[in-house]
Amino acid sequence: MDTIKNELQMNSFDRVLDKLCLTPIGLAGLILLLILPFIPPFNQEYILRWLIYCGFIAAMSVGFDFTAGYINIVNFGYMAVAGTGGYTSALLVINAGLSPWIAMVAGGVSSAILGLVIGMISLRLRGIFAACLSWFFGLAVMGLAVKMVWLTRGPLGLRVPRLFETESNFPFYFLIIILVYLTYLICKWVVRSKMGLAFQAIGQNMDAARTSGIDPVFYRVFNFTMSCAIAGVLGGFYAHFYGILTPDMMHTSKTVEVLAVAYIGGRGSLWGGAVVAFPFIFLMEIVRSTLSNLPGLNLVIYALVLILVMIYYPGGFSYFYDTHIRQPKNRALRYFLNGRDV
Amino acid sequence: MSKNYMSHILPWLKTAPGMSIAISIVVAVAATIDAGPYLLVNMVVTGGMLALVATGLTLMLGVLNIPMFAHGEYFMIGSLIAYYIFTPISEFILEHPESWLVTFGPFIAIIGALVGGAIAGAISEKLVFGPLRRRSTDNWVMNSFLLTVGLSVLLINLHQLIFGADFKGIVGYWQGMPISIADVYVSKDRVMAFIISAVIVALFYLFMTYTRTGMAIRAVSQDITGAEIVGIDIEKIVLLTIALACALAGVAGGSLLFMYPSYPTVGLEPLYMAWFVVILSGLGNILGAVTGAFIVALLKVITMEYVGAGWDFVVPSALIMFILIFKPSGIFGSDVRGVLDK
């Protein structure tokens, strides 16, 4: 009854927002991101390039959190899966002459198949064992990319045609913002449905979930397949944006980057990683480029932030937001932060 | 008598440990006959090094439930310390070729690596793991895993920041002609590295089995509350365990400086290999880890010989994944896993 009442109380704007899984502040943030490249310091090409990288990490961290935050399995080979999608897409464009847009989807499909395989073989494993299995899988895939020189040109890297035939980074920026939002939206829709509940049940206690009639096989494999498909499409974007693809992209340290952002953002929130990625990765890029005589300093800061967050605030940014910012006294402000609920 | 003996052997051969050990011995012998005895020597030297790193890793996992991702960085610290101790010693040797340091200088460097690894481990317990343990032990395995990921990135980049990214290596520890074993010329350094690792693993095994402190460590690994009740000082044991585990990695790094020059990411390869060993052989079992180290070393050496260099991540990790499908708790692991499942 309550939910029906709430539906009736909502006006159409709120209803649309709710369908789009946004709060008013979320909408404001999205609009800010969309007009950002027209505001002076951000309209330079090299800053836009950093922002695109931020967007890529943001979208990856959403897809990563879909597995890590819900069914509680860290997919430690996530970047290798994305790299598979990137390579598939790039090779299809180069060798079969497909349009990059269709190839990106094909990359997503190939990564989904990889995710299906990882999901299937890790079914009997839990926790850290499943994480290690996906890690070994990632190492094996990266080793293949390095050694199959006849196909991937190995460490020399593939030259990949770009998605848009311009030198400008503007269209890429808007595309990645749309991809970030779409990734979030799809994951959120799935998580909001009955499936999300099943995911959380499996993540918290698999035996209890099985006792209450949830089939872990289907949900775990589905979750892996979906998050890997997302990674594959994003990997295709990465390949067709940078125009060069090396096996370095699949390295564990890249997965660590995504993982750090996802956890600093807050596990199990989906939006936390996406929100944190923009300021955080952007600052890291500034540190990296301004203090280039101190190589590695940005990663030192990076690691320190990860360590401090893990020790003192394991809930991450989303937990902080929920406990300290979300419930202000002012009603208008509360509407702005939460949207119309209950 | 012999029949009785056989009746014990046959059932053992049907168990997973028996089968895998028997298969590896057969494979090792067949490969040695086919390709020459140098393969066996390579396997023994690599296996000895891996055993050192993997016992440290299995100690961390078994006693403290920390899936250590930063273990390779203590290997790196050990090799760095050994380099900075041995460089002045080798200059001294050049001027005074008759000095006692010609024989004992390398030992000073390796012992320095051991002590340095122990100190680094103790410091990281005080600064990183201790605070996390005191704050919360919810979801301990995953949180501490991410913490070690951060620690790994931090140590790698601190090395790069302070000491630079270039290779800091030595020509060799002990001069003189290589020793000939079964028509294979093995450099003195390799022989000594194997002897050192064998002695240390044996001492470590005796320490864990027969001394009171070793028993206390094993007690903590079985039941932390029970150990506290009988009057074991948990904090001290935890500190000691981490220091020991890191010292093992450090001494491996120090004694292998002639093969692996010190540079920021030198620890990644031993880390991957040690994780292969630990996941393959199951957790918290020192003898299992030593056996597993030789099996993984055999896999690596055979892959290098018959498939080619660079495939040594692909083939072993594929095989280990295959084994994990059938035996999720590892070859020597028991089926009871408890806390690490989470």
Side-chain angles (χ1 to χ4, degrees):
Chain A
M1 267 322 268
D2 270 358
T3 52
I4 294 169
K5 224 178 191 175
N6 281 330
E7 293 260 323
L8 289 176
Q9 277 170 2
M10 283 183 176
N11 59 30
S12 56
F13 175 69
D14 290 334
R15 214 166 295 142
V16 170
L17 268 193
D18 188 56
K19 270 272 174 287
L20 295 177
C21 306
L22 283 173
T23 54
I25 189 175
L27 187 65
L30 202 59
I31 292 171
L32 176 69
L33 281 179
L34 285 176
I35 58 171
L36 200 59
F38 301 107
I39 302 168
F42 296 103
N43 57 3
Q44 293 162 46
E45 290 291 333
Y46 72 101
I47 288 187
L48 219 51
R49 217 176 153 79
W50 294 349
L51 281 174
I52 293 169
Y53 187 61
C54 298
F56 174 72
I57 295 290
M60 286 295 282
S61 79
V62 173
F64 181 83
D65 198 33
F66 186 66
T67 311
Y70 284 86
I71 61 169
N72 213 355
I73 290 174
V74 176
N75 186 349
F76 218 56
Y78 202 57
M79 266 309 211
V81 174
T84 313
Y87 267 107
T88 312
S89 170
L91 289 171
L92 279 177
V93 172
I94 294 169
N95 296 336
L98 278 179
S99 128
W101 297 92
I102 302 168
M104 258 167 77
V105 177
V109 173
S110 75
S111 290
I113 294 168
L114 203 64
L116 189 74
V117 174
I118 300 178
M120 298 278 250
I121 61 177
S122 70
L123 265 178
R124 284 181 68 188
L125 308 172
R126 299 183 192 179
I128 193 72
F129 289 85
C132 280
L133 188 109
S134 57
W135 182 29
F136 294 164
F137 208 98
L139 284 180
V141 170
M142 181 180 152
L144 279 181
V146 174
K147 291 311 287 186
M148 282 164 50
V149 178
W150 52 275
L151 187 66
T152 63
R153 299 208 331 135
L156 287 174
L158 273 178
R159 287 192 62 81
V160 189
R162 306 223 308 170
L163 265 176
F164 302 101
E165 283 168 8
T166 69
E167 284 298 303
S168 160
N169 288 324
F170 273 82
F172 290 98
Y173 178 75
F174 292 113
L175 180 64
I176 192 67
I177 297 298
I178 291 168
L179 280 178
V180 172
Y181 178 62
L182 273 183
T183 310
Y184 167 74
L185 190 66
I186 294 170
C187 290
K188 194 77 184 173
W189 271 345
V190 172
V191 163
R192 264 190 184 184
S193 68
K194 235 165 68 185
M195 238 175 204
L197 218 57
F199 287 154
Q200 277 175 329
I202 290 171
Q204 279 165 13
N205 190 335
M206 189 146 131
D207 297 318
R210 191 183 273 140
T211 320
S212 14
I214 296 168
D215 177 19
V217 175
F218 170 74
Y219 287 107
R220 275 181 68 161
V221 173
F222 178 83
N223 188 306
F224 259 98
T225 312
M226 196 176 134
S227 91
C228 289
I230 290 169
V233 175
L234 291 168
F237 172 84
Y238 183 95
H240 295 297
F241 167 61
Y242 283 102
I244 186 145
L245 196 59
T246 59
D248 256 4
M249 179 203 173
M250 301 179 164
H251 201 271
T252 314
S253 60
K254 296 274 180 190
T255 310
V256 167
E257 213 164 310
V258 173
L259 175 147
V261 167
Y263 275 81
I264 292 170
R267 64 190 91 177
S269 71
L270 292 181
W271 57 266
V275 170
V276 164
F278 282 94
F280 187 64
I281 300 279
F282 193 73
L283 279 179
M284 290 299 107
E285 291 289 311
I286 289 177
V287 170
R288 189 175 63 92
S289 61
T290 50
L291 299 171
S292 54
N293 53 339
L294 293 173
L297 183 66
N298 61 325
L299 287 168
V300 169
I301 299 171
Y302 206 91
L304 276 178
V305 172
L306 180 63
I307 289 175
L308 290 177
V309 166
M310 287 323 294
I311 295 178
Y312 296 103
Y313 227 92
F317 176 72
S318 70
Y319 182 73
F320 174 77
Y321 179 82
D322 285 344
T323 46
H324 294 293
I325 303 178
R326 193 143 220 179
Q327 303 295 344
K329 291 275 187 290
N330 186 324
R331 281 193 62 186
L333 200 60
R334 188 183 293 187
Y335 169 73
F336 182 63
L337 293 180
N338 291 307
R340 179 90 61 206
D341 57 25
V342 194
Chain B
M1 189 62 202
S2 73
K3 202 173 180 188
N4 193 6
Y5 192 60
M6 283 306 283
S7 70
H8 277 93
I9 292 274
L10 279 178
W12 181 75
L13 276 180
K14 282 180 190 158
T15 60
M19 209 161 15
S20 45
I21 291 176
I23 290 175
S24 359
I25 291 175
V26 169
V27 169
V29 170
T32 310
I33 293 168
D34 186 52
Y38 71 93
L39 206 140
L40 203 67
V41 174
N42 268 351
M43 182 201 116
V44 167
V45 173
T46 321
M49 179 275 282
L50 259 183
L52 275 181
V53 185
T55 32
L57 199 62
T58 197
L59 193 68
M60 291 288 273
L61 258 170
V63 180
L64 308 167
N65 298 320
I66 298 175
M68 189 74 163
F69 188 74
H71 214 64
E73 275 54 71
Y74 296 93
F75 183 95
M76 178 266 282
I77 290 175
S79 65
L80 193 67
I81 290 173
Y83 171 76
Y84 278 109
I85 294 179
F86 193 68
T87 315
I89 290 180
S90 66
E91 277 164 13
F92 182 80
I93 288 173
L94 273 182
E95 287 166 19
H96 309 85
E98 298 302 316
S99 143
W100 56 275
L101 276 175
V102 175
T103 318
F104 293 101
F107 284 115
I108 298 175
I110 290 167
I111 289 170
L114 182 97
V115 175
I119 292 172
I123 291 174
S124 41
E125 149 67 15
K126 284 285 174 212
L127 290 183
V128 177
F129 298 113
L132 177 64
R133 194 169 44 250
R134 276 189 286 281
R135 283 189 73 85
S136 103
T137 48
D138 301 342
N139 207 356
W140 164 258
V141 177
M142 230 49 236
N143 281 350
S144 59
F145 175 63
L146 297 168
L147 206 57
T148 60
V149 169
L151 196 61
S152 159
V153 178
L154 181 71
L155 290 175
I156 287 177
N157 289 291
L158 276 181
H159 180 148
Q160 189 173 1
L161 204 59
I162 300 169
F163 301 101
D166 47 339
F167 285 27
K168 294 169 271 291
I170 57 168
V171 182
Y173 277 128
W174 284 276
Q175 289 129 1
M177 289 300 288
I179 301 164
S180 150
I181 304 169
D183 291 341
V184 191
Y185 287 97
V186 192
S187 74
K188 270 187 184 169
D189 286 359
R190 282 174 180 249
V191 177
M192 285 309 288
F194 175 71
I195 292 174
I196 289 170
S197 63
V199 167
I200 288 179
V201 168
L203 280 180
F204 178 69
Y205 180 71
L206 293 177
F207 167 77
M208 289 296 280
T209 321
Y210 295 111
T211 63
R212 286 187 70 86
T213 324
M215 284 181 201
I217 291 178
R218 284 188 294 140
V220 171
S221 81
Q222 282 170 5
D223 185 346
I224 198 159
T225 325
E228 213 165 3
I229 289 170
V230 293
I232 293 172
D233 185 348
I234 302 287
E235 287 290 313
K236 224 185 239 169
I237 291 295
V238 167
L239 186 66
L240 182 74
T241 312
I242 293 187
L244 258 179
C246 296
L248 286 174
V251 79
S255 58
L256 288 179
L257 181 62
F258 63 93
M259 272 168 82
Y260 295 91
S262 191
Y263 59 95
T265 51
V266 65
L268 287 184
E269 198 200 323
L271 174 81
Y272 295 162
M273 287 293 165
W275 266 105
F276 286 168
V277 172
V278 169
I279 293 292
L280 179 73
S281 61
L283 302 171
N285 181 343
I286 294 169
L287 282 184
V290 174
T291 322
F294 285 100
I295 295 179
V296 170
L298 176 73
L299 273 177
K300 182 180 158 143
V301 169
I302 286 194
T303 312
M304 299 257 264
E305 172 70 27
Y306 289 101
V307 190
W311 289 92
D312 48 340
F313 281 144
V314 182
V315 178
S317 60
L319 209 66
I320 287 167
M321 280 189 290
F322 188 70
I323 291 172
L324 275 181
I325 297 174
F326 295 103
K327 194 91 173 62
S329 50
I331 299 177
F332 307 103
S334 59
D335 284 329
V336 186
R337 277 176 290 157
V339 66
L340 287 164
D341 277 347
K342 292 192 185 107

